[in-house]
Amino acid sequence: MEGSMIAFFLLVALALGGAMTMLSSTRALHMIFSMALVFLAIAGLYILLGAEFVGIVQVIVYAGAITVLAVFGIMLTRHDASETAAERSRSNRWLAFVTAAGLFIVLFFAISRTRFLPVAAADTEHLAGVREIGMLFLSPDYIYTFELASVLLLSAFIGAIVMAKGGSGDE
Amino acid sequence: MRDWLSGTLSAEQWLIIILAIVVLLLFVLFFVVYAIYFQRKILGWMQGRVGPNRVGPFGLLQTVADTLKSLLKEPVIPKHVDRPLYFLAPFVAFAPSFIVLAVIPFSPQVTYTDLSVGFLFYVAIASISTLGVIMGGWSSNNKWSLIGAMRAAAMMISYEIPLVMGALGVVLLAGSLNLNDIVAWQEQHVWNVIPQILGFAVFFIAALAELNRTPFDLSEAESELVAGYQVEYSGIRFAFFMLSEYVYLFAMGSLVTVLFFGGWLPPHPALGFIPGIIWFLLKALFFANLPFWFQATFPRARVDLLMTFSWKVLIPLALVNLVITAFVKAFLA
């Protein structure tokens, strides 16, 4: 078997295993760490596809920052650390099954109808390298999107500062 | 690497891969054993004591004995721990510390991968260790370990920013995130520590915080928090946490060497007859042992000054360094 196939199936197994653990666990913190496993496996898939930069950013942002943020969120808020079995009632299960099956059908048809352009393995480096992504962001096509995203982040920063300072009561 | 992924792996290639990994692991374990010995000797010497001198000649086998002891010890598992996370945490903390070594170019011949985003890879994977620390602190179900884990997580996250920004000047100069390219740039020009002295200062201080070493060892703080997130761990699981900490010392020493001190390059081309790996190890081991010296010299920082220092001193300095570097590169070079 090709090395990439072995790596692919290992990563897919990890991602699916993480997702299943997340769904079946009852403690919020277990769920978060299973999600971290899913994020890591998906980052591995990106790297396998040659998008190294995207994969690494996935690790930094999702597996690192988002997971830690979620952990802090859970530790710092009032909650019951685990949900009881009664909350998963029978009607909810059927509803969940129908929703999941519907989503699967939609995604399955969308993916099977898409025509993927074949890309030589050697070219993936030049499609999603750091330099190419940087040049694209600063090209006329994407510069506005890029700048708008920066402004959005800046406003989120300012919002966070305002919320953090709100408690001091000097407004 | 990439051609190994696309082709079928023969038994020989598997053997080479596994052998290379095992050799690195053995070297790292050897380093950890003697780093602990040197730490105790250096601390002893600076405090006017003798240090370990009983087991073996000059106490050289002291850490070996300690390791054997912790491996053979009965694993004590407190009753109220969150078992799956408690068992998983030491490994989640240790695995990234070893994985990051994959992108370090030890010498032109000894390089495990040639990743185009090598520097980012190091930072990203190292941040996963934070998860292991939080996992351990939370699952121990103990207030000291939880406080220690929260401190460690907060500190590691906020010092990651100056760490990356301090090194951005180097990336800008070399025009690449690939650690091999960064060393190659230094071969043609000068060691980065000369043009990037400010970046180096910011990077090294942030690195000490990332490693949880004095003066930033607040997550362990043995006098107030017992031992932080590790307090409920014993035997082999505790050993894994310690192992991770010391492997990171070596990894961070290697990263400093690669980014700022020319990696495998000799200080002067005339000294090139000594192989690159020797130069690399000399430099990396120096920077890996530097924190022990600091440990004997500095008091612990106050917890309320910790975040202020990162956000109001280190990050602005790193930004200034970045702007100056960009200016020089764009207009003067």
Side-chain angles (χ1 to χ4, degrees), chain A residues 7-26:
Chain A
F8 174 78
F9 282 113
L10 270 179
L11 289 170
V12 167
L14 275 181
L16 290 180
M20 299 293 267
T21 323
M22 188 238 162
L23 288 176
S24 60
S25 54
T26 49

Side-chain angles (χ1 to χ4, degrees), chain A residues 47-133:
Chain A
I47 293 176
L48 193 61
L49 288 169
E52 282 161 359
F53 181 69
V54 182
I56 298 299
V57 169
Q58 163 90 8
V59 175
I60 294 179
V61 174
Y62 284 92
I66 299 271
T67 312
V68 172
L69 191 73
V71 170
F72 271 62
I74 283 179
M75 285 182 181
L76 298 178
T77 48
R78 257 182 187 286
H79 66 100
D80 293 325
S82 58
E83 64 180 44
T84 51
E87 286 167 28
R88 300 186 165 182
S89 66
R90 190 154 291 221
S91 61
N92 276 355
R93 270 189 200 181
W94 279 107
L95 201 63
F97 177 76
V98 171
T99 320
L103 184 68
F104 174 77
I105 290 169
V106 169
L107 283 179
F108 182 78
F109 277 102
I111 292 172
S112 61
R113 296 241 173 126
T114 312
R115 291 204 167 275
F116 293 103
L117 295 172
V119 179
D123 289 345
T124 49
E125 190 95 337
H126 303 288
L127 280 175
V130 186
R131 196 177 296 274
E132 285 71 26
I133 290 176

Side-chain angles (χ1 to χ4, degrees), chain B residues 67-131:
Chain B
T67 316
L68 276 179
K69 180 189 142 215
S70 51
L71 291 184
L72 296 176
K73 243 180 138 174
E74 180 197 356
V76 181
I77 300 158
K79 206 173 172 188
H80 297 290
V81 298
D82 185 341
R83 288 180 84 92
L85 291 186
Y86 180 84
F87 289 131
L88 206 57
F91 303 105
V92 176
F94 167 68
S97 69
F98 185 60
I99 295 174
V100 292
L101 290 177
V103 287
I104 303 286
F106 294 99
S107 84
Q109 290 83 36
V110 189
T111 308
Y112 280 80
T113 56
D114 189 17
L115 202 63
S116 63
V117 285
F119 173 62
L120 277 183
F121 181 89
Y122 183 101
V123 177
I125 298 297
S127 72
I128 295 182
S129 274
T130 319
L131 291 185

Side-chain angles (χ1 to χ4, degrees), chain B residues 273-320:
Chain B
F273 61 90
I274 300 172
I277 185 86
I278 304 280
W279 285 117
F280 181 89
L281 285 179
L282 277 178
K283 294 183 224 171
L285 292 181
F286 173 75
F287 285 106
N289 282 296
L290 203 54
F292 303 148
W293 177 18
F294 290 170
Q295 191 178 356
T297 328
F298 291 122
R300 185 174 300 134
R302 253 167 54 196
V303 70
D304 56 324
L305 295 179
L306 197 68
M307 296 297 157
T308 326
F309 182 63
S310 167
W311 292 99
K312 295 191 177 166
V313 180
L314 287 184
I315 293 180
L317 276 181
L319 279 174
V320 167

Side-chain angles (χ1 to χ4, degrees), chain B:
Chain B
M1 261 310 268
R2 214 144 263 297
D3 46 308
W4 283 353
L5 269 179
S6 52
T8 317
L9 284 179
S10 63
E12 255 172 67
Q13 280 167 322
W14 276 113
L15 205 70
I16 292 172
I17 295 175
I18 291 167
L19 209 68
I21 294 172
V22 168
V23 166
L24 183 63
L25 186 64
L26 286 180
F27 172 76
V28 164
L29 290 180
F30 182 79
F31 162 79
V32 170
V33 166
Y34 282 96
I36 295 174
Y37 172 76
F38 274 112
Q39 175 181 18
R40 297 179 64 180
K41 273 289 187 196
I42 291 172
L43 287 182
W45 176 62
M46 292 189 76
Q47 294 165 350
R49 296 185 282 115
V50 184
N53 69 341
R54 292 285 144 186
V55 192
F58 307 105
L60 275 170
L61 296 175
Q62 179 66 50
T63 327
V64 181
D66 288 348
T67 316
L68 276 179
K69 180 189 142 215
S70 51
L71 291 184
L72 296 176
K73 243 180 138 174
E74 180 197 356
V76 181
I77 300 158
K79 206 173 172 188
H80 297 290
V81 298
D82 185 341
R83 288 180 84 92
L85 291 186
Y86 180 84
F87 289 131
L88 206 57
F91 303 105
V92 176
F94 167 68
S97 69
F98 185 60
I99 295 174
V100 292
L101 290 177
V103 287
I104 303 286
F106 294 99
S107 84
Q109 290 83 36
V110 189
T111 308
Y112 280 80
T113 56
D114 189 17
L115 202 63
S116 63
V117 285
F119 173 62
L120 277 183
F121 181 89
Y122 183 101
V123 177
I125 298 297
S127 72
I128 295 182
S129 274
T130 319
L131 291 185
V133 168
I134 297 179
M135 236 184 228
W138 166 270
S139 63
S140 298
N141 212 347
N142 171 319
K143 54 180 170 290
W144 307 124
S145 45
L146 186 60
I147 294 173
M150 294 295 256
R151 277 188 184 180
M155 191 165 78
M156 283 159 108
I157 292 166
S158 40
Y159 275 87
E160 223 161 68
I161 303 167
L163 183 83
V164 175
M165 296 220 300
L168 269 188
V170 170
V171 173
L172 206 60
L173 280 182
S176 171
L177 285 163
N178 186 329
L179 294 176
N180 285 299
D181 292 354
I182 289 174
V183 177
W185 187 87
Q186 294 176 82
E187 191 164 22
Q188 287 157 8
H189 300 81
V190 285
W191 287 6
N192 276 324
V193 67
I194 295 164
Q196 288 293 322
I197 184 75
L198 188 58
F200 170 67
V202 171
F203 183 89
F204 198 71
I205 294 171
L208 282 178
E210 282 288 294
L211 296 167
N212 287 330
R213 305 304 305 192
T214 325
F216 302 105
D217 59 344
L218 286 142
S219 61
E220 290 189 32
E222 58 273 31
S223 52
E224 39 179 311
L225 283 181
V226 199
Y229 59 89
Q230 315 160 334
V231 70
E232 296 289 8
Y233 282 91
S234 59
I236 188 167
R237 296 193 179 82
F238 174 74
F240 259 96
F241 274 122
M242 289 299 278
L243 189 61
S244 141
E245 208 166 284
Y246 282 87
V247 175
Y248 265 126
L249 265 181
F250 178 66
M252 199 53 99
S254 309
L255 190 66
V256 169
T257 307
V258 168
L259 288 176
F260 294 99
F261 288 87
W264 63 77
L265 303 172
H268 190 273
L271 290 167
F273 61 90
I274 300 172
I277 185 86
I278 304 280
W279 285 117
F280 181 89
L281 285 179
L282 277 178
K283 294 183 224 171
L285 292 181
F286 173 75
F287 285 106
N289 282 296
L290 203 54
F292 303 148
W293 177 18
F294 290 170
Q295 191 178 356
T297 328
F298 291 122
R300 185 174 300 134
R302 253 167 54 196
V303 70
D304 56 324
L305 295 179
L306 197 68
M307 296 297 157
T308 326
F309 182 63
S310 167
W311 292 99
K312 295 191 177 166
V313 180
L314 287 184
I315 293 180
L317 276 181
L319 279 174
V320 167
N321 177 55
L322 190 61
V323 170
I324 294 175
T325 313
F327 185 81
V328 169
K329 182 163 180 169
F331 296 110
L332 301 183

Side-chain angles (χ1 to χ4, degrees), chain A residues 126-147:
Chain A
H126 303 288
L127 280 175
V130 186
R131 196 177 296 274
E132 285 71 26
I133 290 176
M135 294 309 257
L136 264 184
F137 269 140
L138 296 179
S139 73
D141 293 345
Y142 292 101
I143 183 87
Y144 296 111
T145 335
F146 181 62
E147 291 299 328

